[in-house]
Amino acid sequence: MICTGCGLFLQVSVNLERNPILRQAVLLGNEGTKRTDYFRQAARQAKLPVLFADWKDYDEWKKHLLQGEWMVKIDPPLWDSCSLEELKPLAFQYRQKLWELSDLSGAYPVEYLNDPRVIWELLDKRACKEKLQRAGVPVTEPLEGRAAAKDTKRIECTRQLLERMRQTGICQVFIKPVYGSGAAGVSAFRCQPATGNIVLYTCAMLHPEHGLVNTKRLRRFCDPKEVFPLLDRILKLDCVIERWYAKADVHGASYDLRAVVLDGRVEFMLGRLSKGPITNLHLNNRPIEAAALGISERVLEEIAVLCEKSMNCFLGLRCAGIDLLLEKGSLRPRIIEMNAQGDLMYQDIFNDNRIYRKQAERMRQWLCGS
């Protein structure tokens, strides 16, 4: 049983009249997307009846959570804006909806594949990284708050960034909007102390009409007259700033890893090869099977332990996409970031669709009471 749009409401009301304690799996997402289409395919394979609720109908659909028993998988809403300066207000609108959904689970028999509040915990890159650090998880180290720096205030302009880099002796950093995703606003900045030469890699651009926008295309800037105004605007977004680590390499390119973890176990892992510092695959970087990277069993075991430890830091987190790097030379793994909705992997859905099938099987176990 798969419903779309307002058909969900009619189907639900009919079922509730027959059985006031309905136990039902629900996908809250967006019609016509690969996330929705391939999860539905996986649900059919797992023999999981799943209702579909569209984010566009959120206010109406939410009322039906007050009746019956539900297990809900939450996919992220779609945003039309390319303005990076709208990232934070859009994220906080999403947070309001997530908190509303979380509050329902305290009063009604509603369960989630990932608790809505933990989805928000991972969306907040600064808070997520701080929680991992407190638990002793090795992460890409934030520049803010390093012991070598006397000033621990947040960096909001290029002048402050250069001064902090000088204090800490770090000459290359990553800059990420706290609430961004998909490399929106992510930048890599290097300043050579001896020469003063600078370079900035970013998908951000200053548009004469629309301000700071995400172009989804990586650009390289070296001219201070271009770099400093652009970097000033990026830093005003509220960003986390982290040390830029040299990554392990293979076939003449550096790589990092995306691991998708379900119930503490790595179900899928993919390498992302890049000639540049930013590895997101939609920026024309190359995916590579983890098995082709020649990673030793020892390092693979370290990655598995690290992923499990990271997941255990967040109550209510069943599934997450975890980005990791292996330091060049030592191959020591570090968490770059975590995403509670980072389960869409084209290299998986176009092959075994393993991730969504495992999620559907997990939800079916709940539906069957096991």
Side-chain angles (χ1 to χ4, degrees):
M1 175 173 57
I2 299 174
C3 308
T4 61
C6 293
L8 165 68
F9 310 135
L10 175 61
Q11 187 70 52
V12 169
S13 61
V14 169
N15 283 337
L16 287 174
E17 287 176 6
R18 295 176 183 170
N19 182 2
I21 308 178
L22 174 70
R23 206 161 198 201
Q24 180 66 61
V26 178
L27 172 65
L28 174 57
N30 310 279
E31 189 62 79
T33 63
K34 288 182 174 62
R35 286 180 179 272
T36 296
D37 293 345
Y38 280 89
F39 184 79
R40 283 171 161 168
Q41 180 189 101
R44 287 193 293 271
Q45 292 171 345
K47 297 181 172 54
L48 171 73
V50 59
L51 294 170
F52 174 75
D54 200 302
W55 272 111
K56 292 184 295 186
D57 302 316
Y58 166 78
D59 289 328
E60 194 62 34
W61 173 80
K62 185 179 63 173
K63 299 173 185 176
H64 292 283
L65 286 180
L66 309 185
Q67 308 172 70
E69 291 186 56
W70 307 89
M71 183 175 213
V72 185
K73 171 178 162 59
I74 303 173
D75 279 344
L78 297 177
W79 294 337
D80 295 329
S81 176
C82 67
S83 170
L84 291 170
E85 286 153 331
E86 292 182 11
L87 268 178
K88 192 169 183 177
L90 286 169
F92 273 71
Q93 291 175 23
Y94 185 35
R95 181 184 72 169
Q96 180 62 33
K97 292 182 173 64
L98 290 171
W99 285 6
E100 289 173 3
L101 291 169
S102 182
D103 289 343
L104 288 176
S105 66
Y108 301 94
V110 180
E111 190 169 347
Y112 298 96
L113 186 65
N114 279 339
D115 185 271
R117 287 187 182 254
V118 85
I119 292 175
W120 175 256
E121 274 194 274
L122 270 61
L123 275 173
D124 184 334
K125 289 185 177 67
R126 180 178 289 118
C128 176
K129 188 65 65 75
E130 288 173 352
K131 192 166 191 176
L132 291 172
Q133 283 185 293
R134 289 195 298 271
V137 175
V139 299
T140 47
E141 184 182 8
L143 189 67
E144 297 167 305
R146 274 177 57 95
K150 296 177 182 178
D151 183 4
T152 58
K153 291 186 290 188
R154 290 181 186 173
I155 297 166
E156 297 179 343
C157 68
T158 306
R159 179 185 58 79
Q160 292 175 341
L161 174 61
L162 289 170
E163 176 60 18
R164 190 70 59 83
M165 291 171 71
R166 185 192 66 79
Q167 291 174 350
T168 58
I170 292 175
C171 63
Q172 54 184 28
V173 296
F174 272 97
I175 302 159
K176 306 174 186 179
V178 170
Y179 304 106
S181 62
V186 173
S187 307
F189 176 66
R190 178 187 290 126
C191 178
Q192 294 290 353
T195 64
N197 291 338
I198 59 173
V199 61
L200 175 69
Y201 300 88
T202 183
C203 294
M205 184 181 75
L206 283 172
H207 190 278
E209 295 180 14
H210 304 293
L212 190 65
V213 299
N214 179 31
T215 66
K216 297 186 178 180
R217 176 187 164 197
L218 191 62
R219 290 174 167 83
R220 183 177 183 270
F221 300 90
C222 296
D223 186 343
K225 293 179 181 178
E226 292 182 301
V227 170
F228 291 162
L230 179 54
L231 194 50
D232 276 339
R233 289 287 287 272
I234 292 170
L235 288 168
K236 283 182 171 59
L237 295 176
D238 186 11
C239 295
V240 292
I241 303 169
E242 301 173 345
R243 179 181 167 190
W244 172 354
Y245 289 79
K247 299 175 182 176
D249 53 49
V250 67
H251 308 317
S254 61
Y255 68 87
D256 61 17
L257 301 162
R258 162 64 64 90
V260 180
V261 185
L262 180 62
D263 290 331
R265 176 177 175 178
V266 176
E267 292 291 349
F268 185 86
M269 189 161 65
L270 186 75
R272 304 183 298 186
L273 287 175
S274 177
K275 296 283 188 179
I278 300 175
T279 59
N280 296 67
L281 295 179
H282 69 276
L283 299 178
N284 294 321
N285 292 314
R286 179 182 154 202
I288 182 170
E289 291 185 10
L293 292 169
I295 302 173
S296 69
E297 288 297 323
R298 175 188 64 80
V299 174
L300 288 173
E301 179 62 25
E302 288 179 10
I303 291 170
V305 170
L306 183 57
C307 286
E308 183 179 11
K309 186 173 182 179
S310 301
M311 296 289 287
N312 288 340
C313 291
F314 299 93
L315 186 65
L317 182 65
R318 288 193 176 101
C319 185
I322 301 180
D323 293 339
L324 312 99
L325 65 79
L326 302 179
E327 290 187 49
K328 188 172 183 176
S330 70
L331 299 185
R332 183 192 185 196
R334 288 181 180 271
I335 301 294
I336 301 171
E337 59 185 61
M338 299 176 67
N339 186 343
Q341 295 168 315
D343 54 5
L344 176 63
M345 303 294 295
Y346 289 173
Q347 293 71 27
D348 178 51
I349 62 173
F350 296 148
N351 289 287
D352 297 333
N353 205 12
R354 176 186 176 90
I355 298 166
Y356 286 159
R357 182 165 45 81
K358 288 284 186 179
Q359 289 179 351
E361 289 169 358
R362 178 70 180 84
M363 294 174 76
R364 188 173 183 273
Q365 289 173 359
W366 172 85
L367 194 65
C368 297
S370 59

